[in-house]
Amino acid sequence: MLNQSDIFQTLDMIDHQHLDIRTITMGISLLDCADTELRACCNKIYEKITHKAENLVKTGEEIEREFGIPIVNKRVSVTPISLVAAACREDCYVEIARTLDAAAKAVGVNFIGGFSALVQKGFTVSDRRLIASIPEALAETQRVCASVNVASTKAGINMDAVKLMGETIKRAAELTADTSGFACAKLVVFANAVEDNPFMAGAFHGVGEPECVLNVGVSGPGVVYHALQGVKGQAFDVVAETVKKTAFRITRMGQLVGREASERLGVPFGIVDLSLAPTPAVGDSVARILEQMGLETCGTHGTTAALALLNDAVKKGGVMASNHVGGLSGAFIPVSEDEGMIAAAESGALTLSKLEAMTCVCSVGLDMIAVPGDTSAATISAILADEAAIGMVNSKTTAVRIIPACGKTVGDRVEFGGLLGSAPVMPVHRQSADEFIARGGRIPAPLQSLKN
């Protein structure tokens, strides 16, 4: 039971510590929308999304008003389109992306995820069509997000897909050069992608999910930062316990909102994803949490250890608060969306290599990283391969969302606005990886994949 103290604590977290429900995301299966004719397929997709998600935004806004809990985003994720469109005779899927965008606009959500392909072990014809369509699809739409899973612990790394995605990212950046490569901010390359992730740009509705489901993403870096101010100088055991207790309270709020939205929409409740996802607002930064543990600047020696403690404690607290914690629960480190990360990158303390090390212990990977516009496709592919290898060997989800900033170089900044914030252009190694990427084939799965 909640007592008066719990209620006052929660109100303070909402009013002064940036606590919010980052997103309620409705997952919708589109498998029954398959058709040999592209236009018929698009019509079915539009009708199903606008029917299933018709009341999603309205319900979210009602809960916000009644409970006083901010719900920042309302989103939709759908079955990977490479599966849905496989029966179509057309070679290009851009029209499907336009349909998804129109449906998202009609129901009022800010993003729709699932223009996706799962190619960790190889390509179908439909997978290749979808990947070829990504640059134009993302350039021509506002709300559509894309993702491609190129590796898994079970399958290894599809290096042909890694090479292709480096080229795809470059093309997407070129097509949206006038908006700082905005298309790339809506594109994620995964290893070990999960089926119930409510966060964009990587959300899609997995084939193991029900017909329709509601997943909730909660975020509260500011709350954790505030809690750690009260244990300054104390042992790490105390730090971990403080984070766990805070994560517990945050997750309980997410569970409450998820259950309420599920009941009102008549849709099964899926999971609470407790991810400390920052925003550009001061006081809502994961980097500042790490610095509160005693680091002068995020990125200095000790940062990876601090992040490991934070990620583990967040998961432990969340699991105790809900039977259905899922998605990517942990800590996110998107550079452009975290004012502390931006400051650390601009000071030179936080480098691409250090971020890569940090991804070994956090929720996802290299997220919202801007690099010079003249960075080659092969170099981008090599960055993707490194991150995929971390995910494959450690049996965890890793991802890359990287933006080659056309016409920009190290020291410049790209602006996206809103939750996407702004990113300093970070240096990459100039030595070539061209021959490495040109080999193609598959990097075999590690020994730990043999668990059956």
Side-chain angles (χ1 to χ4, degrees):
M1 289 287 292
L2 288 174
N3 58 35
Q4 190 177 56
S5 175
D6 291 326
I7 294 170
F8 284 142
Q9 273 190 324
T10 302
L11 289 173
D12 189 54
M13 289 190 291
I14 292 169
D15 291 340
H16 303 295
Q17 299 166 30
H18 301 279
L19 177 62
D20 58 50
I21 302 296
R22 186 56 51 88
T23 180
I24 53 173
T25 301
M26 178 179 284
I28 302 172
S29 173
L30 298 183
L31 290 174
D32 57 350
C33 297
D35 200 288
T36 56
E37 296 298 328
L38 183 65
R39 176 40 50 196
C41 180
C42 288
N43 288 340
K44 292 177 183 178
I45 288 171
Y46 184 86
E47 289 172 11
K48 186 161 190 183
I49 293 171
T50 53
H51 172 67
K52 290 287 187 182
E54 179 182 12
N55 295 315
L56 176 63
V57 172
K58 174 185 167 187
T59 300
E61 290 172 347
E62 288 173 353
I63 293 172
E64 281 186 272
R65 287 193 298 270
E66 292 175 27
F67 288 74
I69 299 171
I71 303 175
V72 180
N73 299 297
K74 296 84 177 173
R75 296 164 171 172
V76 168
S77 64
V78 299
T79 309
I81 292 300
S82 67
L83 301 177
V84 180
C88 293
R89 299 191 186 101
E90 301 291 330
D91 290 335
C92 179
Y93 294 165
V94 174
E95 187 59 34
I96 298 178
R98 295 191 189 107
T99 300
L100 293 172
D101 204 45
K105 182 178 180 180
V107 300
V109 296
N110 64 321
F111 283 121
I112 184 165
F115 198 76
S116 307
L118 311 176
V119 298
Q120 59 268 22
K121 208 168 184 178
F123 303 93
T124 64
V125 172
S126 186
D127 291 331
R128 288 191 181 275
R129 289 173 178 170
L130 183 128
I131 293 172
S133 302
I134 285 175
E136 188 179 349
L138 296 185
E140 292 191 14
T141 60
Q142 289 297 311
R143 297 169 178 82
V144 174
C145 294
S147 59
V148 177
N149 193 70
V150 300
S152 72
T153 300
K154 283 287 187 183
I157 305 174
N158 181 350
M159 290 300 291
D160 293 322
V162 168
K163 179 177 184 294
L164 187 55
M165 288 313 299
E167 296 163 355
T168 300
I169 290 168
K170 280 288 286 186
R171 179 63 179 152
E174 291 164 359
L175 289 179
T176 52
D178 59 334
T179 56
S180 302
F182 180 65
C184 297
K186 301 187 294 170
L187 173 58
V188 181
V189 180
F190 275 116
N192 291 319
V194 298
E195 297 189 333
D196 57 0
N197 168 24
F199 286 101
M200 298 297 169
F204 63 86
H205 186 69
V207 295
E209 295 289 298
E211 179 72 13
C212 190
V213 70
L214 196 77
N215 297 319
V216 174
V218 185
S219 183
V223 180
V224 176
Y225 174 79
H226 179 80
L228 291 184
Q229 288 180 315
V231 295
K232 190 174 181 66
Q234 297 190 43
F236 283 116
D237 311 78
V238 178
V239 173
E241 191 65 23
T242 301
V243 174
K244 279 168 53 182
K245 289 178 179 178
T246 306
F248 178 89
R249 290 201 299 271
I250 296 170
T251 307
R252 294 298 285 177
M253 189 183 75
Q255 173 111 338
L256 169 68
V257 169
R259 292 284 184 194
E260 187 68 24
S262 168
E263 184 175 324
R264 295 187 187 193
L265 290 165
V267 172
F269 174 63
I271 56 93
V272 177
D273 183 326
L274 174 62
S275 289
L276 297 183
T279 72
V282 174
D284 202 25
S285 162
V286 170
R288 300 306 185 194
I289 295 174
L290 305 180
E291 291 169 359
Q292 187 63 33
M293 292 186 198
L295 303 173
E296 182 178 348
T297 304
C298 177
T300 192
H301 304 299
T303 298
T304 305
L307 183 58
L309 181 154
L310 175 64
N311 208 55
D312 179 67
V314 164
K315 291 177 186 287
K316 287 174 178 173
V319 166
M320 290 298 293
S322 172
N323 289 329
H324 301 291
V325 171
L328 299 167
S329 295
F332 286 2
I333 51 171
V335 172
S336 80
E337 300 172 21
D338 186 311
E339 62 85 17
M341 295 282 179
I342 293 170
E346 288 182 329
S347 73
L350 188 63
T351 64
L352 203 56
S353 295
K354 185 60 178 179
L355 279 166
E356 187 178 292
M358 292 165 66
T359 64
C360 296
V361 299
C362 76
S363 280
V364 193
L366 298 175
D367 198 11
M368 289 301 290
I369 309 293
V371 296
D374 62 356
T375 304
S376 71
T379 296
I380 293 171
S381 293
I383 293 170
L384 301 180
D386 282 345
E387 200 60 34
I390 291 171
M392 175 185 71
V393 171
N394 290 288
S395 301
K396 71 183 292 290
T397 303
T398 54
V400 177
R401 193 162 40 147
I402 190 168
I403 301 101
C406 295
K408 306 250 183 210
T409 188
V410 176
D412 293 336
R413 183 186 278 227
V414 293
E415 301 283 346
F416 299 109
L419 283 176
L420 295 177
S422 63
V425 177
M426 302 178 72
V428 300
H429 292 297
R430 307 311 296 182
Q431 293 80 5
S432 172
D434 292 17
E435 289 186 24
F436 176 76
I437 295 302
R439 287 178 178 271
R442 272 169 52 203
I443 292 180
L447 187 61
Q448 56 264 44
S449 68
L450 301 176
K451 292 182 178 179
N452 291 339

